[in-house]
Amino acid sequence: MWAQRAGVLGWLLLLLQAVPRAAGARPCSPKYFGRDSMVCVCNATYCDVLDPVVLPAPGTYVKYESSKAGKRLERSEGSFQRSLHAPGLLLTLNISVLYQHVKGFGGSLSDAAALNILGLSQPAQDNLLQSYFSENGIEYNLVRVPMACSDFSVRPYSYDDVPYDYELKHFKLAEEDVKMKELLHGDPGARALPSRCGVCRDSPQELAPPLGCVTACPPGAGKEQSRGSVPWVVLSGCRSSQGPFSAPLPPVGVLKGCSWSSLCPVLQIPILHRALAMAKRPLSLYASPWTSPAWMKSNEDVRGKGTLKGQAGDKYHKTWANYFIKFLNEYAKHNLTFWAVTAQNEPLAALLAHPQFPTIAFTAVQQQDFVAQDLGPALAQSSHSTRLIIMDDQRIHLPAWAKVVLGNATAARYVAGVGIHWYLDSIVPASCSLEATHKLFPNHFLLYTEACSGFLTYRFSVSLGCWERGDRYSHSILTVLNHFVAGWTDWNLALDLQGGPNWVENYVDSPVIVDSSKDVFYKQPMFYHMGHFSKFIPEGSRRVGLHSSRRCLFCQLEHVALLRPDGTIVLVVLNRSAWDVPFGISDPAVGFIEAVAPASSIQTYLWQRQ
């Protein structure tokens, strides 16, 4: 039966592809992993894309819908009515009631994510990055970057392993930064850089198999050209470890020894730069440390439970604060600036973590002192305008953690917001943690900084096509937006079929799963659930009042309304129930919409008020 269904769907897809469509729009290429478990398949030559958002004419609206039945951000249009025939459940907009501003939505460029992206061919990489960041994708605007290793690395490492280097003279970004997160090489078929050659240094430069390492180039060997909007360099008369060669190369990399060192920044293309170039909206990067160098930790190991040696204000804490500044300095050399840093990834979860996890444990009091005496002043005195986010841990610690850190006037003046992870959300209601924190400290934003599905599930870390995992994402986002949270960041942008790599085998799921052996990647329901928010709610949007005429006890309908900076209204409606739910939408300035939320679906409505 499922083979027949897949065959029919494939035939229909071919028909859809043959029909003239709006520029750029392409439908999902579906693949099923059991009943209702559908992913959209992308490769080097095909990937589903969306049209850029075009606002509807006044008096009309557009709707985007995804569902367990198979819709993926499917667009339709309609008109407002003067009245409703059978209103039933009615959602009424009230823009006179204004709440928090939105920062945005996004994901994390972990080492694992970078490895999986680089495991694809260049065209497939482009399709993946465009799916996340371009206006033909879901338009992420937040990217979290680990400072050195996390568990989603292939090895433990730090940026300065020279013992007692308090001046950080030996601080150096790792290969994972310069060859994966930051710098990407290659001709169209090339993969990740081998580790034996330097990058943009006075040493042999790895280009791409079969060229090997460039060992010599005559003066004028590299001439910059432009192919469309992409800079290329044509090499001629050079020698490599594989012999003489001449070749046109996309932005890949050169050496100072090649007599055109000024082109070096042009040639090494950062993954982050590629995302920045694809994005129409500004991207905000923020960084989080998992561990300090081993010699700064009480257990003398980047792995395992340990605290920072000494106490706030001493040489260890000053050095650790300056480590943040060194990180920002090094990335700035590659024209990458960070909107924010978090003080520590999961400072209390470190006490309960796997014994091989890279961690540093902090109590709230220890973080308060570190921020007040070390990290806050270091950031304030630096050349960076980077903001500081505290906690970066579970909301069960709120509002107590905020009371300790933000209750200290010295620490509070250095802090912009509070970071939250979603893993223990079911233990404490949002009203008792998030809303309580906002009421105490309304001038400090709340931001969800990490979430993923598949954790602590040893058999099904990755569950391809699972609608319920996407549903849980949307449920979380809707819940926290309605309790003063400014944004929501997913964990790894891309993982492999196992849910890694992860050197402590802490495998989890991701909105995008890569099968590099087939040069394909799968966009899961989680990806499209994220898109219902990230694509339509830009930074600067503001949550507004939305009144429900009655509580929907059995239909599990959840919703939020926002006013965009351009004056457009966005309404997101999630139906978690197994049956269709009719409802109405009322905007007193425009009229009524008679709507139905299909079973297991999510909808995003947009309309202009004038």
Side-chain angles (χ1 to χ4, degrees):
M1 176 180 176
W2 288 107
Q4 290 177 336
R5 180 175 178 179
V8 171
L9 285 169
W11 179 75
L12 288 172
L13 177 62
L14 289 174
L15 285 179
L16 285 170
Q17 293 177 19
V19 174
R21 303 177 64 86
R26 290 197 296 268
C28 167
S29 176
K31 182 174 182 177
Y32 284 84
F33 292 88
R35 184 177 179 86
D36 297 324
S37 293
M38 189 192 90
V39 300
C40 296
V41 183
C42 295
N43 54 35
T45 58
Y46 187 86
C47 195
D48 58 295
V49 298
L50 299 162
D51 281 325
V53 175
V54 176
L55 298 179
T60 67
Y61 65 89
V62 293
K63 178 180 70 177
Y64 290 82
E65 183 173 297
S66 299
S67 66
K68 189 173 183 178
K71 290 185 178 181
R72 295 295 181 265
L73 284 167
E74 185 174 301
R75 187 182 189 275
S76 61
E77 300 178 1
S79 297
F80 278 85
Q81 304 172 12
R82 293 185 177 181
S83 62
L84 290 179
H85 299 296
L89 176 64
L90 183 65
L91 304 178
T92 302
L93 189 74
N94 184 358
I95 66 164
S96 66
V97 179
L98 298 172
Y99 299 102
Q100 80 275 18
H101 286 91
V102 169
K103 178 61 185 175
F105 305 88
S108 302
L109 186 60
S110 63
D111 292 351
L115 276 168
N116 282 297
I117 294 169
L118 290 171
L120 296 165
S121 65
Q122 187 89 12
Q125 292 174 27
D126 288 341
N127 282 337
L128 192 158
L129 292 172
Q130 287 169 358
S131 292
Y132 270 128
F133 297 105
S134 78
E135 63 178 350
N136 292 113
I138 60 173
E139 300 191 71
Y140 272 10
N141 76 312
L142 291 180
V143 181
R144 187 183 186 216
V145 180
M147 286 173 55
C149 75
S150 71
D151 53 310
F152 279 91
S153 301
V154 295
R155 65 186 180 101
Y157 65 91
S158 80
Y159 295 138
D160 190 343
D161 293 323
V162 177
Y164 314 115
D165 180 18
Y166 300 113
E167 296 182 5
L168 299 175
K169 292 181 178 179
H170 299 278
F171 185 100
K172 179 182 175 183
L173 294 180
E175 289 186 352
E176 283 81 350
D177 294 273
V178 297
K179 293 182 181 179
M180 295 194 307
K181 298 176 198 169
E182 188 185 347
L183 300 176
L184 175 67
H185 92 128
D187 62 24
R191 304 302 171 101
L193 277 168
S195 61
R196 65 180 181 276
C197 296
V199 175
C200 290
R201 307 189 196 286
D202 295 311
S203 59
Q205 170 63 48
E206 182 76 359
L207 289 176
L211 300 180
C213 294
V214 176
T215 55
C217 289
K223 294 183 179 179
E224 188 175 5
Q225 293 184 353
S226 179
R227 301 191 178 190
S229 60
V230 179
W232 283 51
V233 165
V234 176
L235 302 180
S236 59
C238 296
R239 290 191 63 82
S240 77
S241 56
Q242 303 297 321
F245 74 93
S246 298
L249 298 167
V252 289
V254 297
L255 284 178
K256 293 179 181 178
C258 285
S259 301
W260 17 277
S261 59
S262 62
L263 294 180
C264 184
V266 175
L267 297 177
Q268 283 289 356
I269 295 298
I271 291 179
L272 291 171
H273 280 169
R274 289 171 73 185
L276 286 161
M278 291 174 180
K280 186 176 181 180
R281 299 171 183 167
L283 292 189
S284 293
L285 311 181
Y286 67 101
S288 298
W290 266 246
T291 182
S292 71
W295 54 271
M296 294 188 194
K297 283 183 63 181
S298 60
N299 65 337
E300 299 280 349
D301 196 331
V302 297
R303 300 164 298 184
K305 300 175 179 65
T307 60
L308 213 57
K309 291 179 179 177
Q311 58 188 3
D314 70 5
K315 60 185 178 181
Y316 287 103
H317 286 70
K318 295 294 183 190
T319 303
W320 181 229
N322 288 331
Y323 188 98
F324 283 71
I325 309 305
K326 286 280 190 178
F327 171 84
L328 298 173
N329 291 344
E330 290 301 309
Y331 266 79
K333 291 176 183 177
H334 298 288
N335 297 317
L336 290 168
T337 59
F338 282 78
W339 161 69
V341 294
T342 73
Q344 174 61 41
N345 176 72
E346 296 187 345
L348 277 187
L351 299 173
L352 306 173
H354 185 287
Q356 293 297 303
F357 264 56
T359 61
I360 310 176
F362 280 86
T363 65
V365 171
Q366 288 170 333
Q367 187 168 94
Q368 169 206 286
D369 293 341
F370 175 56
V371 167
Q373 298 182 44
D374 305 297
L375 183 55
L379 286 168
Q381 293 163 18
S382 75
S383 60
H384 307 285
S385 57
T386 304
R387 309 185 82 182
L388 178 58
I389 299 171
I390 60 165
M391 199 175 82
D392 203 12
D393 210 326
Q394 319 307 320
R395 80 182 188 204
I396 59 172
H397 305 308
L398 292 176
W401 192 282
K403 286 181 178 179
V404 172
V405 180
L406 300 181
N408 179 285
T410 303
R413 67 189 178 96
Y414 295 118
V415 176
V418 180
I420 304 126
H421 292 196
W422 89 325
Y423 301 104
L424 301 179
D425 276 6
S426 61
I427 296 176
V428 57
S431 58
C432 300
S433 52
L434 304 175
E435 190 165 344
T437 303
H438 170 76
K439 288 179 178 178
L440 288 169
F441 306 102
N443 296 323
H444 292 80
F445 63 76
L446 304 176
L447 179 70
Y448 264 57
T449 51
E450 187 179 309
C452 69
S453 288
F455 61 97
L456 300 179
T457 54
Y458 296 102
R459 291 183 59 197
F460 301 107
S461 297
V462 173
S463 183
L464 287 170
C466 178
W467 176 262
E468 286 70 25
R469 289 186 174 183
D471 179 89
R472 287 195 287 272
Y473 269 33
S474 289
H475 168 67
S476 171
I477 296 170
L478 286 164
T479 300
V480 303
L481 284 179
N482 281 311
H483 289 87
F484 299 97
V485 167
W488 204 92
T489 315
D490 184 37
W491 194 188
N492 303 275
L493 287 171
L495 293 174
D496 62 23
L497 291 166
Q498 190 177 20
N502 184 294
W503 57 273
V504 295
E505 300 183 354
N506 178 36
Y507 303 121
V508 300
D509 214 339
S510 170
V512 169
I513 295 296
V514 171
D515 185 349
S516 59
S517 68
K518 297 178 181 176
D519 197 32
V520 302
F521 62 93
Y522 303 129
K523 290 156 75 170
Q524 301 215 72
M526 288 179 284
F527 175 89
Y528 297 95
H529 276 267
M530 288 293 297
H532 274 273
F533 300 90
S534 61
K535 187 168 183 66
F536 308 107
I537 306 173
E539 181 176 356
S541 297
R542 195 165 185 185
R543 181 167 68 95
V544 297
L546 186 67
H547 173 71
S548 178
S549 61
R550 60 182 174 85
R551 189 175 180 185
C552 193
L553 295 175
F554 302 105
C555 65
Q556 299 183 55
L557 211 63
E558 301 174 13
H559 34 73
V560 70
L562 302 104
L563 177 65
R564 293 171 23 139
D566 61 8
T568 302
I569 295 295
V570 180
L571 172 65
V572 184
V573 178
L574 174 69
N575 182 7
R576 307 188 77 193
S577 67
W579 49 85
D580 298 352
V581 177
F583 68 100
I585 301 168
S586 171
D587 182 342
V590 185
F592 299 90
I593 298 173
E594 193 166 336
V596 175
S600 302
S601 71
I602 181 169
Q603 301 172 325
T604 300
Y605 294 82
L606 295 94
W607 68 88
Q608 298 187 75
R609 305 200 80 227
Q610 294 180 350

